[in-house]
Amino acid sequence: MATLTCKNYFNGRWETGVTTGISTNPSDLDDVVAEYARADKNQTDNAIRAAADASSTWAQSTPQRRFDALDQIGSELIARKDELGELLAREEGKTLAEAVGETVRAGNIFKFFAGEALRQGGERLASVRAGVDVEITREPVGVVGIIAPWNFPLAIPAWKIAPALAFGNSVVFKPAELVPACGWALAEIISRATLPAGVFNLVMGSGRQVGQALVDSPLVNAISFTGSVGTGRQILKATAERGAKVQLEMGGKNPLVVLADADLELAVECTLNGAFYSTGQRCTASSRIIVDAGIHDRFVARLRERTAALKVGHALQRDTQIGPVVDDHQLQQNLSYLEIARDEGAEHLVGGDTLQRQTRGHFMSPALFLAQSHHRVAREEIFGPVACVIRADGYEHALSLANDTPFGLCAGICTTSLKYATHFKRNAQVGMTMVNLPTAGVDHHVPFGGRKESSHGSREQGRYAAEFYTTVKTAYTLA
Ligand code: UN1
């Protein structure tokens, strides 16, 4: 397959970088997906300046203009879903079906926020003082720095860029270095949406140069970040120092509770999907399967059998269910957790082998352990196809195990009991709960985010995105 050449996009122009990087196909390491421009701090500062210069023009643009631009971007993503899905699967390694689905999702997100641009309203209240009117409106925050991860290379950038533009902000977007071609393909579509020069900028490069410049620049008013807890904490400190707005989506160690009254096949299906689809590389992945003693042995036997039967292979092959791990670093990390689990006394059930396929790739069979809540494999985010089953004695115990984690992104329960499902929805200490559904795979039009160490700041997506991408103004008038 052809190697793409991807430039950065500053101030309405395509620009070469200071250095060049390459991205490779994790299903076939001999396939170079892209050669891409890598910016340094200086180039990033230039892009930020362009965004700052353009911000007042875009802030004053009409809702119709914003609708038209975002709707056009959304339509093109959807129309090109097969081709862009193939690029995504080739560069990131999720299966073609998942990648096409993600491309459509990215398109739908742009269309949702196109509508939001038109629906922006405000409030008008009577003042407590005679003859005075009070209006409450939302205004753009200015320049938004967007730092995106590699695991959803179209959908996550979409759910940050679309609301930023819809609410009148200008954007400097840094994609992850493992997926520059996806970031570039999205930028290329945005570049043809007739935005004023500088409103949208693509800056590829390292976290140390590009990311740091975004985080430190006094011209960047807000940072939206999805990635690791460690980087998120550094960003929080740096942005707190200069008073910038910040939104962080970080890790997860999401529980899926299976009660004794659960539909067994449905519970196994939810587990396979939540734990292993997208190669377990989702912050919403179910990595702690908390199973009531009353169903434990039957559930584990069936889950083990179904896990062993999953087809691991090249992301572009039609019958592949689990694509490769994204890179060697992540693969080594996954393998090291298998060691840690064994050393701590967790019982290995199935999987965890590196696999040879026709092409050289980072293939690994999904791994399952029986673990206890204090084991590291049950506490730390692995971000790979590694899950553990923890035995619980009854619902109350299962709920306390579910909440026994520093993270709080999402939590699921499989049960036919309305009473337990309702109690769980109310008492799981997370931002999202799922009943009889996988913890991963969320809708695009409702809020996304968590609590505790998973998230910081206001929610992403849906109408709640306005909280981050706007600032509120209260206006008093004596008529
Ligand atoms: C999903 O599960 O559909 O990085 C989305 C992640 C999340 C997105 C998950 N921010 O995995």
Side-chain angles (χ1 to χ4, degrees):
M1 275 188 255
T3 300
L4 296 165
T5 303
C6 305
K7 290 187 177 175
N8 282 324
Y9 187 68
F10 307 151
N11 205 15
R13 283 190 302 272
W14 293 99
E15 304 275 359
T16 51
V18 171
T19 56
T20 303
I22 60 161
S23 80
T24 49
N25 178 346
S27 302
D28 178 359
L29 300 176
D30 299 317
D31 174 27
V32 176
V33 180
E35 287 177 359
Y36 67 99
R38 298 178 81 235
D40 64 358
K41 177 177 168 2
N42 253 340
Q43 283 191 320
T44 311
D45 283 337
N46 290 340
I48 294 169
R49 220 163 293 122
D53 290 345
S55 69
S56 68
T57 314
W58 190 240
Q60 285 157 28
S61 62
T62 63
Q64 186 63 44
R65 177 140 196 226
R66 294 182 206 167
F67 172 91
D68 289 341
L70 295 179
D71 188 59
Q72 180 185 323
I73 297 163
S75 296
E76 183 167 340
L77 283 162
I78 294 168
R80 292 172 55 199
K81 66 183 189 332
D82 294 325
E83 168 213 342
L84 292 168
E86 185 179 291
L87 175 65
L88 200 168
R90 182 178 164 215
E91 189 172 52
E92 194 269 351
K94 66 182 61 177
T95 65
L96 189 58
E98 289 172 326
V100 171
E102 181 181 335
T103 309
V104 173
R105 175 170 168 176
N108 283 331
I109 290 167
F110 273 97
K111 285 181 170 280
F112 175 86
F113 284 107
E116 285 302 283
L118 286 177
R119 277 189 288 269
Q120 262 191 90
E123 277 182 274
R124 186 168 170 280
L125 280 79
S127 168
V128 293
R129 288 170 283 170
V132 174
D133 279 339
V134 187
E135 281 166 3
I136 304 165
T137 52
R138 289 185 178 274
E139 296 184 357
V141 287
V143 176
V144 180
I146 291 175
I147 304 176
W150 51 262
N151 65 332
F152 284 86
L154 289 179
I156 292 180
W159 83 48
K160 296 178 189 291
I161 295 168
L165 295 176
F167 295 120
N169 302 284
S170 51
V171 167
V172 182
F173 163 45
K174 176 203 172 314
E177 287 216 84
L178 285 171
V179 289
C182 290
W184 168 85
L186 180 59
E188 199 277 324
I189 293 173
I190 298 174
S191 77
R192 286 183 282 100
T194 65
L195 302 171
V199 169
F200 173 82
N201 305 274
L202 167 75
V203 191
M204 297 178 285
S206 69
R208 246 162 28 100
Q209 294 271 333
V210 177
Q212 198 65 47
L214 284 171
V215 167
D216 291 339
S217 171
L219 296 177
V220 176
N221 306 96
I223 294 279
S224 182
F225 166 83
T226 299
S228 71
V229 177
T231 307
R233 286 216 183 108
Q234 285 173 18
I235 292 177
L236 184 57
K237 269 197 209 137
T239 47
E241 197 125 302
R242 64 180 187 84
K245 205 166 179 179
V246 65
Q247 173 183 63
L248 307 170
E249 283 302 332
M250 301 170 284
K253 192 72 192 176
N254 309 297
L256 177 68
V257 169
V258 179
L259 293 186
D261 65 11
D263 174 330
L264 180 72
E265 284 307 315
L266 178 66
V268 170
E269 203 57 56
C270 288
T271 306
L272 290 172
N273 178 324
F276 301 133
Y277 287 11
S278 300
T279 320
Q281 297 172 151
R282 297 187 279 193
C283 59
T284 46
S286 326
S287 46
R288 295 185 297 136
I289 318 302
I290 299 167
V291 186
D292 186 78
I295 195 172
H296 183 275
D297 294 356
R298 278 184 296 140
F299 174 85
V300 167
R302 186 72 179 128
L303 178 62
R304 181 184 196 164
E305 176 190 359
R306 291 282 311 274
T307 301
L310 289 170
K311 285 203 166 61
V312 180
H314 196 299
L316 294 176
Q317 246 158 34
R318 294 275 160 187
D319 61 344
T320 293
Q321 290 172 290
I322 310 291
V325 174
V326 73
D327 69 354
D328 186 56
H329 172 78
Q330 185 64 51
L331 178 65
Q332 296 312 322
Q333 179 170 312
N334 298 346
L335 298 175
S336 78
Y337 271 101
L338 307 181
E339 290 281 305
I340 291 168
R342 287 194 185 99
D343 289 350
E344 286 188 319
E347 184 185 329
H348 177 238
L349 286 174
V350 66
D353 304 308
T354 51
L355 304 172
Q356 306 297 318
R357 293 290 180 262
Q358 272 168 4
T359 46
R360 285 195 311 126
H362 304 300
F363 302 109
M364 165 185 176
S365 58
L368 260 183
F369 284 88
L370 288 182
Q372 285 172 23
S373 195
H374 66 269
H375 289 151
R376 283 180 63 192
V377 73
R379 302 204 73 75
E380 297 170 16
E381 183 175 52
I382 300 172
F383 221 68
V386 182
C388 60
V389 173
I390 305 168
R391 182 193 286 265
D393 288 313
Y395 170 74
E396 291 298 335
H397 184 215
L399 175 65
S400 77
L401 288 170
N403 286 333
D404 178 20
T405 169
F407 293 105
L409 187 57
C410 48
I413 188 166
C414 291
T415 178
T416 50
S417 155
L418 180 63
K419 180 178 135 196
Y420 290 135
T422 306
H423 189 274
F424 189 80
K425 276 195 276 190
R426 291 187 186 148
N427 292 285
Q429 293 159 5
V430 292
M432 299 176 285
T433 61
M434 288 80 175
V435 176
N436 295 322
L437 287 165
T439 55
V442 296
D443 283 8
H444 67 266
H445 66 309
V446 290
F448 178 95
R451 301 183 187 172
K452 292 157 84 177
E453 286 182 20
S454 289
S455 307
H456 178 89
S458 54
R459 289 283 183 267
E460 301 199 82
Q461 301 206 74
R463 290 175 49 210
Y464 287 70
E467 218 41 66
F468 184 73
Y469 292 100
T470 65
T471 178
V472 169
K473 180 170 280 174
T474 311
Y476 297 91
T477 311
L478 174 65

